[in-house]
Amino acid sequence: MVELKKFDERMLNFDLEKMADYLTLERDYNFEYMGLEILSSRYLIEDVDTKLPLETPQMFWMRIAMGTALVEDKGKLDTIAKDFYDILSEFYYTPGGRTLFQSGTIKAQLSNCFLNVVPDDLREIFRMYSDNAQLLKWSGGVGTSWSKVRGTGAQVKSVDITSQGVVPYLKIANDINVCVMRSGKRRAASVVYLETWHVDIEDFLELRKNTGDERRRTHDLNTANWIPDLFMERVKADADWTLFSPDETSDLPDIYGKAFNTRYEEYEKMAKEGKIKLFKVIKAKDLWKKMIGMLFETGHPWICFKDPSNIRSPQDHMGVIHSSNLCTEIMLNTSDHETAVCNLGSINIAKFVTKNKTIDKDLLQKVIRSSVRMIDNTVDINYYPTEDSKASNMKHRPIGLGIRGYHDALYGMGILFDTNEAVEFADESMEMMSYYTILSSSELAKEKGKYASYEGSKWSRGILPEDTIALLEKERGTTIDIPKGGKLDWTPVRNHIKQYGMRNSNTMAIAPTASTANLV
């Protein structure tokens, strides 16, 4: 495969005889029919001419194991790759689709998600088209915020004309999706975000409608609302809501919480005084009804909340989160020249249910430790299609470990889905996931060093994700009625972070498992 220019030359650094002997062919029988069908049609590396697979299922798992161990010390290479192979081939853990596609290959783009924000500048808008085309080509899913781009009717002073707003630009973004194939296996996919105060929000809501002017429709582009808390408060109070163009309210995309509320109300006052040219006052409840109606009719735009995403972010010292990603499972900072990146994978929680109907904590911790190591390695191994994405990922090293097989776990535990017992199991199992994942990242920091932007983060200030509910309560001035605390002793985790820091800025995600769950 190296001779065929399909594999990275570093794959020859392993003891190939030992790795071949370690293949356990009986694990082919772990697959069900659908899993093998998905494996052969989507993930196995093929001969370009014959379209026949060049690897078997166990070779496939070993390729991923070796391909994600490439950056380990030479003395540990074989041992770590074997450990990775075991958790993969026994279906304890599965990486995201990008890693399955390209691990071990020459230009291994292993990242699942890319997030960016478009500045209000024509050159930058078209640079973003180019960047996103590259990200999509190399199999990434892209989430882009367009909230900074001026709205319809806004003045373009350099040429003394009025802007046509964001919709024509989104039409171009839609067509880029149509013409790019991800990994040659499926069409590109991306999502665009717009904040609820943007003057083009009403047109944005209709982008996926099957009626109307086709030049203002984006049937191949996902859309999502980026909603500040203040809007929901206005909906509850049946109050007015004012739409603005970001060329006159340029700081709104970059602030959140109380700061956003104060500034937004200042702009409303300025609009009443005639100091803002382009604005529109509507009923918040009417806009909310239209948002819900479009969601029911077209499945879009999705609903996503700006303030808790930022207030609870571990990286609040490094800037602002302007959107989520294609599958809305992560929240990462972006800026005009910083494209956020995330690598994902998921634990098959059903595999840890014992005959005694408990979760095997020791096995879970062992597998999570290996999984976190594997995802973290991809940050260094990865081929980055753009410089903005490489700089961001090397600086923050976010990863997203999620779960799958949850309903199967309930079945194995003998727990009905709609019971208090199921709620208790959810609480306990997710606390274990959080505990071991965060601890594993801190253990990696002890071995390999902290991520570059660690100082100043919530981690460095002793604030863990579970603590951020209190921050949200304080910012909103309300009580959030959910149980606080857990059943595990978090003191060792807190002490370990205090001493050694964290390897990754973010550690967990709601991993999308549409095809990979069926695979295993």
Side-chain angles (χ1 to χ4, degrees):
M1 292 294 252
V2 171
E3 286 177 13
L4 290 172
K5 306 292 186 194
K6 288 185 176 289
F7 281 5
D8 190 312
E9 287 185 359
R10 290 176 293 175
M11 295 286 272
L12 298 176
N13 292 341
F14 296 87
D15 186 327
L16 297 183
E17 290 294 328
K18 285 184 179 177
M19 304 314 285
D21 287 342
Y22 199 74
L23 293 177
T24 309
L25 304 187
E26 293 76 17
R27 291 177 187 171
D28 283 358
Y29 294 102
N30 289 341
F31 287 98
E32 294 181 1
Y33 178 82
M34 182 184 284
L36 278 177
E37 171 60 27
I38 290 172
L39 181 67
S40 61
S41 64
R42 181 168 291 183
Y43 293 115
L44 296 182
I45 291 178
E46 296 176 344
D47 182 283
V48 176
D49 298 319
T50 66
K51 301 299 180 185
L52 294 173
L54 293 172
E55 53 188 356
T56 67
Q58 296 312 308
M59 291 159 65
F60 164 77
W61 290 130
M62 187 59 85
R63 165 173 65 83
I64 296 161
M66 292 163 62
T68 51
L70 290 175
V71 291
E72 298 288 355
D73 293 340
K74 196 153 189 177
K76 298 180 182 176
L77 262 185
D78 292 355
T79 303
I80 289 175
K82 288 176 182 178
D83 177 47
F84 288 174
Y85 169 76
D86 284 335
I87 67 171
L88 293 168
S89 61
E90 289 281 27
F91 294 1
Y92 288 122
Y93 165 78
T94 312
R98 310 294 78 73
T99 305
L100 299 181
F101 280 137
Q102 301 184 48
S103 182
T105 61
I106 290 177
K107 286 188 176 179
Q109 198 301 98
L110 307 176
S111 297
N112 300 80
C113 318
F114 296 87
L115 299 82
N116 47 31
V117 57
V118 182
D120 186 30
D121 178 270
L122 191 63
R123 289 182 186 276
E124 289 297 302
I125 289 170
F126 277 82
R127 180 184 68 84
M128 195 62 70
Y129 288 144
S130 175
D131 283 0
N132 284 0
Q134 288 297 323
L135 298 173
L136 292 166
K137 169 189 172 183
W138 290 99
S139 200
V142 181
T144 303
S145 170
W146 286 80
S147 299
K148 291 186 175 185
V149 176
R150 70 190 64 198
T152 305
Q155 190 73 9
V156 184
K157 293 179 182 178
S158 58
V159 287
D160 197 25
I161 60 172
T162 55
S163 170
Q164 295 185 70
V166 298
V167 171
Y169 292 120
L170 297 181
K171 180 66 175 172
I172 297 172
N174 176 87
D175 294 342
I176 290 171
N177 266 9
V178 174
C179 66
V180 177
M181 285 287 286
R182 289 196 287 170
S183 298
K185 298 279 187 176
R186 51 182 171 177
R187 198 165 63 191
S190 58
V191 59
V192 292
Y193 284 77
L194 200 69
E195 291 204 34
T196 319
W197 51 263
H198 196 288
V199 74
D200 286 341
I201 190 67
E202 292 173 292
D203 290 334
F204 182 79
L205 296 179
E206 297 186 344
L207 285 173
R208 292 291 296 245
K209 284 187 73 171
N210 290 318
T211 57
D213 185 353
E214 279 298 305
R215 290 170 298 181
R216 299 183 69 80
R217 297 291 178 263
T218 58
H219 302 299
D220 301 283
L221 189 67
N222 298 296
T223 58
N225 284 300
W226 194 236
I227 305 172
D229 281 357
L230 183 62
F231 173 72
M232 300 309 300
E233 291 170 13
R234 297 280 181 93
V235 171
K236 287 182 181 179
D238 196 16
D240 288 338
W241 182 249
T242 309
L243 307 180
F244 296 108
S245 179
D247 61 312
E248 295 184 281
T249 58
S250 59
D251 54 346
L252 288 184
D254 292 325
I255 52 177
Y256 55 89
K258 290 178 182 176
F260 175 90
N261 297 353
T262 301
R263 189 63 170 145
Y264 180 86
E265 287 167 357
E266 286 175 5
Y267 282 131
E268 285 187 310
K269 187 177 179 218
M270 290 169 65
K272 288 177 182 177
E273 294 170 349
K275 295 177 182 177
I276 286 181
K277 293 178 182 177
L278 181 58
F279 68 94
K280 181 180 179 181
V281 179
I282 60 176
K283 279 286 185 184
K285 191 172 284 186
D286 289 343
L287 182 58
W288 178 244
K289 284 179 181 176
K290 187 170 183 179
M291 290 161 71
I292 297 300
M294 284 296 102
L295 191 61
F296 180 81
E297 183 181 334
T298 69
H300 293 82
W302 307 332
I303 302 292
C304 225
F305 295 100
K306 174 183 182 177
D307 289 348
S309 302
N310 276 285
I311 292 162
R312 301 190 65 190
S313 167
Q315 290 290 94
D316 56 343
H317 68 309
M318 290 304 298
V320 177
I321 299 169
H322 295 98
S323 71
S324 186
N325 64 306
L326 170 63
C327 302
T328 63
E329 77 272 19
I330 55 169
M331 306 285 178
L332 300 174
N333 301 341
T334 54
S335 65
D336 291 358
H337 288 281
E338 185 163 333
T339 296
V341 188
C342 196
N343 295 72
L344 305 173
S346 52
I347 295 289
N348 188 356
I349 196 74
K351 292 285 288 186
F352 299 89
V353 176
T354 68
K355 292 179 180 177
N356 298 325
K357 296 187 176 181
T358 60
I359 295 292
D360 188 333
K361 293 182 181 180
D362 292 336
L363 180 59
L364 183 62
Q365 180 172 3
K366 178 180 180 295
V367 171
I368 286 177
R369 186 178 286 124
S370 298
S371 303
V372 168
R373 188 183 197 96
M374 191 188 300
I375 310 177
D376 179 72
N377 281 352
T378 62
V379 175
D380 300 307
I381 296 166
N382 205 38
Y383 167 74
Y384 294 95
T386 67
E387 284 301 315
D388 287 357
S389 60
K390 182 176 182 178
S392 174
N393 215 29
M394 298 303 288
K395 188 175 182 181
H396 310 306
R397 307 185 71 88
I399 66 171
L401 186 62
I403 65 156
R404 68 181 51 187
Y406 181 74
H407 207 155
D408 289 341
L410 285 176
Y411 184 85
M413 300 278 286
I415 298 174
L416 294 175
F417 194 80
D418 57 348
T419 61
N420 287 332
E421 196 180 0
V423 175
E424 290 171 10
F425 174 72
D427 203 39
E428 291 177 20
S429 58
M430 293 308 98
E431 185 181 6
M432 279 187 266
M433 281 291 301
S434 180
Y435 189 100
Y436 297 136
T437 304
I438 292 170
L439 180 58
S440 295
S441 180
S442 187
E443 289 171 345
L444 263 187
K446 179 182 178 182
E447 178 187 342
K448 297 186 175 185
K450 295 175 283 194
Y451 69 91
S453 60
Y454 172 80
E455 296 302 333
S457 68
K458 280 190 173 72
W459 303 110
S460 73
R461 283 145 42 204
I463 303 170
L464 268 59
E466 64 196 65
D467 305 326
T468 59
I469 288 287
L471 298 180
L472 189 57
E473 288 180 322
K474 183 179 178 183
E475 191 78 14
R476 286 178 170 173
T478 59
T479 300
I480 298 173
D481 186 22
I482 64 169
K484 311 294 196 300
K487 294 190 174 181
L488 299 177
D489 178 11
W490 282 80
T491 305
V493 178
R494 293 179 185 276
N495 289 341
H496 203 282
I497 294 171
K498 189 174 182 179
Q499 185 172 0
Y500 299 107
M502 291 286 288
R503 181 67 172 167
N504 313 99
S505 63
N506 298 62
T507 58
M508 287 166 284
I510 307 168
T513 61
S515 59
T516 51
N518 283 325
L519 179 67
V520 297

